[in-house]
Amino acid sequence: MRHPRTLVSGHGPATTLTTAAGGTPASVLLDFGREVGGVPNLDIIAVTGSPTITIVTSEARQYIRTPASTTVAAAVPAGTTRVPLASAANLEAGNTITFGTGADAVTRTITGFDPAAKTVDLDSGLPRDLAAGTPVTTSPGAPSSDESRGLAGVGGPDTLQPTGPGRLNGGFHGGFRFALVTVSSPGSVSLSSAGVDFQAYRATPADYRGWFLSSDDQLNRMWYSGAYTLQMNLKAPGLNGLADARIYDGAKRDRSIWTGDLLVQGPTAISTLGDVGADYLRSSLDVLLAKQRADGAFPGSPDFAKRTSPEGSPLFYSNNYSGYGARAFIDYYRYTGDKAYITSVLPALRRELAYNDSFRTADNLVVSNDRDYWQATQTGEVTKYSIDYYILLREMAWLERAVGSASAAEGYDATADAIKTAVMTKLWNPQLGAYPQSSTNPGVLVGDANALALQYGFVPAGQEGRVLAAIRTLWTPYGAIMGPGLKDPTGHTIEPFANGMETAGRFAVGDTGGALELMRRTWGPMVDPANPLYTGAFWEFKNSDGGVNRATASLAHGWAASPTVQLTEQVLGVAPVGPGYQSWRIQPRPAELKWSAGSVPTAFGDIEVSWSSEQKAGRFALTARTPAGTSGVIAVPVTRGADVSVNGRTVWRDGRGTALGATESGGYVLLTVPGGEYRVAVR
């Protein structure tokens, strides 16, 4: 290969790749520096011979080639230069091939192979006999794709036949950082440039309707990585033969709508992209609604398997994921205030709730023997499943009071109260100081159920510290594992989806320091450009050593984007209370941070907040600009003896409120205010 850097610099002599018969195929590896998605292209200025070009893509460099792993198919004598193999997959001329292991290993160079006959040619004869079944490996391996075409419906290797100058386009690839271009048959190709027709959502600074900054650059990178992950998951209208817009779970895999993922993706889309994000979420919910079963169940994914059609087919994954779907509709209303839409789908949500209620036993606990986000079937009275149903009931009660029936809301609340009592009475394990996985596994500590218990008030009074300590035992340097002995059947043990539940639970009970520390462990490595798995986006999962364990692992996966919304709602402190932020709450949790600033789009206009904190001096200052026609609570952290003023007027002094309904709770002074501009000072 000659002049490869022309493809990076954009000027200079053409990059020329030449492959000779029997020689190592010429190739060039393109690194886009971060996740991209779309159609790779090559600008060709000259072709010699009849070369074949292959393009393979990968999110991680380690998966751009796959070594062969096979065996000798039949015994061969010493001196042999052509060896039969059980498989010819992942062979490439020029690769090193090794027969056997240890001290008896024999190493040669591949000069050619016949895929049909499953034979490989060597540069010199073997020094000894090889028995049938002798293990065979190669290095570095042949070009390979990390995509799963049966699920994504797109991708895989591109095989192209250039005939002359011009632009040569590959196929669509939903998410990748690396592209390996290989001249895989004899011939020569000269290139003036290479690139990609980007076909995810490419947000410019002007497209960000919400933003976040703070005194901590790592947290800032997390916020924007989560936003970018979401953008990589957006399928534009018309792309891949589908007229509608969709929020997919992953950029490269599964490229399907998933209800659990939408619980993170929906709020992220709206809080970062405003109306654009809302449109993508509503369109995705329409796809989900169209696949609702007669018994009320929503599919976990309405468009899962795409082997035969880009439209996909629904996967009715579990009752838990069905409930997640209903909650995604409610989230849409909470963040947008779109009353017409939510009213139109309310009957469908009521049917789904009735379906979920069919799994509630006479003891008011959920028993479904079903799966959750980590795929394994869970039996008995599963703590998390009962809490998840409780959350759905509370969400539906909130919705009914806003647009439906107050009496229905009262019934949902009564059922939720009964579930909460049952969980606290029957599933709390005093020896663990926490909740177990289930009645079937009463001694198994799990992170997700306890995280939700903290967030939604299930922990017995005074036991919050024990639960926080218990689930901290599940932490590793790379994030929290699911629990002792629990892992997805495919091998991963650390789920960012579940770690987001824990950070939310820690924020809810005031453990801001613990929440931020877990964020740093789980997501910190993902935003480190020096990490070999860095894509500028968030990963689907990790294994126990902080990496991933298979090529098809998604490295731009929306369910991992919880830091974006949590940094906005918990650290900056802006969260919706009423639909579309008609009422809101501004409650910063500064921890060790010195300042934060940001903006949140709402149906009534932007909410802009900035604050600074001097903990040692006992000073805190906040500025908030909130839309007319809204109202809310501003909560500022105080210590004993602090004075609080708003726009220069004292509203809290000597432990008593003097204006704006000022009260104190949990180390905060709470101020009830209409929309407007406020400068709050604590000293």
Side-chain angles (χ1 to χ4, degrees):
M1 179 173 59
R2 293 182 296 163
H3 312 301
R5 297 203 62 81
T6 296
L7 298 178
V8 177
S9 65
H11 56 81
T15 300
T16 301
L17 291 85
T18 302
T19 296
T24 301
S27 63
V28 60
L29 179 65
L30 306 175
D31 179 1
F32 290 88
R34 68 185 307 167
E35 187 91 359
V36 295
V39 176
N41 54 67
L42 305 171
D43 288 325
I44 297 176
I45 59 175
V47 176
T48 302
S50 300
T52 299
I53 294 179
T54 61
I55 302 175
V56 294
T57 63
S58 181
E59 290 180 312
R61 183 172 182 173
Q62 68 195 63
Y63 295 123
I64 201 71
R65 289 182 178 272
T66 300
S69 180
T70 184
T71 59
V72 175
V76 292
T80 299
T81 58
R82 176 167 292 176
V83 180
L85 303 177
S87 168
N90 300 316
L91 298 176
E92 184 179 64
N95 270 206
T96 296
I97 186 167
T98 301
F99 301 92
T101 59
D104 294 331
V106 174
T107 299
R108 289 292 183 267
T109 299
I110 299 174
T111 59
F113 57 93
D114 186 333
K118 298 181 182 178
T119 58
V120 62
D121 294 330
L122 311 178
D123 61 333
S124 61
L126 294 169
R128 62 177 179 82
D129 298 347
L130 294 180
T134 299
V136 178
T137 58
T138 64
S139 178
S144 61
S145 168
D146 67 352
E147 296 159 317
S148 178
R149 299 190 69 178
L151 296 179
V154 295
D158 296 320
T159 302
L160 310 172
Q161 298 290 338
T163 57
R167 172 157 289 190
L168 195 63
N169 292 314
F172 175 82
H173 301 264
F176 59 97
R177 173 178 165 177
F178 298 94
L180 182 64
V181 180
T182 302
V183 176
S184 52
S185 66
S188 180
V189 176
S190 294
L191 308 173
S192 61
S193 66
V196 61
D197 177 14
F198 192 91
Q199 293 182 11
Y201 186 84
R202 193 171 188 179
T204 67
D207 295 314
Y208 277 89
R209 289 294 317 283
W211 58 274
F212 170 89
L213 286 173
S214 75
S215 56
D216 189 301
D217 184 61
Q218 187 183 58
L219 297 181
N220 299 338
R221 284 183 280 126
M222 288 182 195
W223 193 95
Y224 285 94
S225 289
Y228 189 68
T229 302
L230 191 282
Q231 292 158 27
M232 288 302 307
N233 294 170
L234 298 182
K235 185 206 75 67
L239 184 65
N240 302 147
L242 298 172
D244 52 18
R246 301 187 181 193
I247 303 179
Y248 283 152
D249 61 332
K252 76 170 183 189
R253 207 224 79 233
D254 307 326
R255 291 193 67 79
S256 299
I257 300 165
W258 273 94
T259 58
D261 300 64
L262 288 180
L263 292 183
V264 177
Q265 293 173 308
T268 303
I270 298 169
S271 64
T272 60
L273 298 176
D275 291 342
V276 169
D279 290 345
Y280 270 92
L281 177 57
R282 185 177 60 251
S283 182
S284 301
L285 294 174
D286 285 342
V287 179
L288 184 66
L289 189 67
K291 302 297 183 179
Q292 187 178 25
R293 276 194 326 221
D295 64 357
F298 285 126
S301 170
D303 58 344
F304 182 60
K306 299 178 177 63
R307 195 175 298 276
T308 59
S309 167
E311 181 70 26
S313 56
L315 175 62
F316 287 89
Y317 184 73
S318 70
N319 69 293
N320 217 38
Y321 265 69
S322 177
Y324 289 163
R327 288 170 56 190
F329 281 94
I330 300 169
D331 277 347
Y332 171 79
Y333 179 55
R334 174 176 288 107
Y335 284 88
T336 66
D338 186 347
K339 187 174 181 180
Y341 182 78
I342 202 66
T343 301
S344 71
V345 302
L346 184 55
L349 302 185
R350 289 168 174 164
R351 290 196 301 274
E352 197 291 323
L353 192 67
Y355 167 76
N356 264 65
D357 199 63
S358 68
F359 296 94
R360 180 168 58 94
T361 68
D363 291 333
N364 286 310
L365 294 171
V366 171
V367 175
S368 63
N369 296 340
D370 226 329
R371 300 177 289 182
D372 201 5
Y373 60 92
W374 51 277
Q375 299 185 20
T377 298
Q378 300 185 76
T379 60
E381 297 162 331
V382 178
T383 307
K384 181 176 179 294
Y385 291 179
S386 292
I387 296 178
D388 277 329
Y389 184 43
Y390 167 92
I391 298 169
L392 175 58
L393 286 162
R394 293 296 194 208
E395 295 282 85
M396 281 294 292
W398 176 86
L399 179 62
E400 291 281 6
R401 288 191 173 92
V403 299
S405 164
S407 61
E410 290 176 4
Y412 299 156
D413 278 337
T415 301
D417 289 341
I419 291 173
K420 182 175 181 179
T421 298
V423 170
M424 294 176 68
T425 302
K426 299 182 179 181
L427 293 175
W428 173 258
N429 184 326
Q431 285 72 44
L432 288 177
Y435 287 103
Q437 180 188 7
S438 64
S439 58
T440 303
N441 294 311
V444 175
L445 176 69
V446 289
D448 50 14
N450 284 285
L452 294 176
L454 289 166
Q455 186 178 1
Y456 291 95
F458 275 72
V459 177
Q463 298 296 313
E464 293 86 356
R466 292 188 69 195
V467 173
L468 289 171
I471 58 178
R472 192 180 176 102
T473 66
L474 304 179
W475 286 17
T476 76
Y478 314 107
I481 65 171
M482 289 180 280
L486 302 184
K487 64 179 180 180
D488 184 280
T490 58
H492 49 278
T493 58
I494 299 171
E495 295 276 8
F497 187 45
N499 279 209
M501 298 176 200
E502 182 169 344
T503 52
R506 289 182 178 273
F507 279 126
V509 297
D511 183 21
T512 300
L516 294 180
E517 184 181 350
L518 183 57
M519 273 192 187
R520 298 184 198 285
R521 292 186 185 215
T522 304
W523 289 275
M526 300 186 202
V527 299
D528 179 2
N531 192 299
L533 297 177
Y534 176 81
T535 61
F538 286 147
W539 314 339
E540 178 185 14
F541 59 78
K542 300 181 187 180
N543 55 24
S544 296
D545 62 5
V548 297
N549 64 332
R550 64 180 189 271
T552 56
S554 172
L555 300 183
H557 215 73
W559 78 355
S562 55
T564 301
V565 170
Q566 290 182 17
L567 289 170
T568 292
E569 297 188 355
Q570 305 295 336
V571 175
L572 181 64
V574 183
V577 176
Y581 293 83
Q582 185 165 23
S583 58
W584 36 260
R585 187 178 185 93
I586 299 173
Q587 183 173 1
R589 292 172 172 82
E592 78 278 10
L593 301 180
K594 298 185 183 305
W595 60 267
S596 181
S599 180
V600 177
T602 84
F604 300 90
D606 294 349
I607 296 176
E608 300 175 359
V609 171
S610 63
W611 57 256
S612 62
S613 176
E614 298 177 67
Q615 286 187 332
K616 290 183 179 180
R619 296 191 184 98
F620 185 87
L622 178 145
T623 298
R625 296 178 180 88
T626 60
T630 69
S631 62
V633 171
I634 297 176
V636 289
V638 296
T639 55
R640 180 176 298 178
D643 291 345
V644 179
S645 64
V646 177
N647 296 342
R649 175 189 178 191
T650 298
V651 298
W652 180 266
R653 174 172 288 172
D654 297 329
R656 293 188 302 111
T658 60
L660 301 180
T663 59
E664 185 177 6
S665 176
Y668 282 81
V669 165
L670 282 59
L671 311 169
T672 302
V673 296
E677 183 172 339
Y678 300 95
R679 296 178 304 281
V680 185
V682 179
R683 58 183 175 85

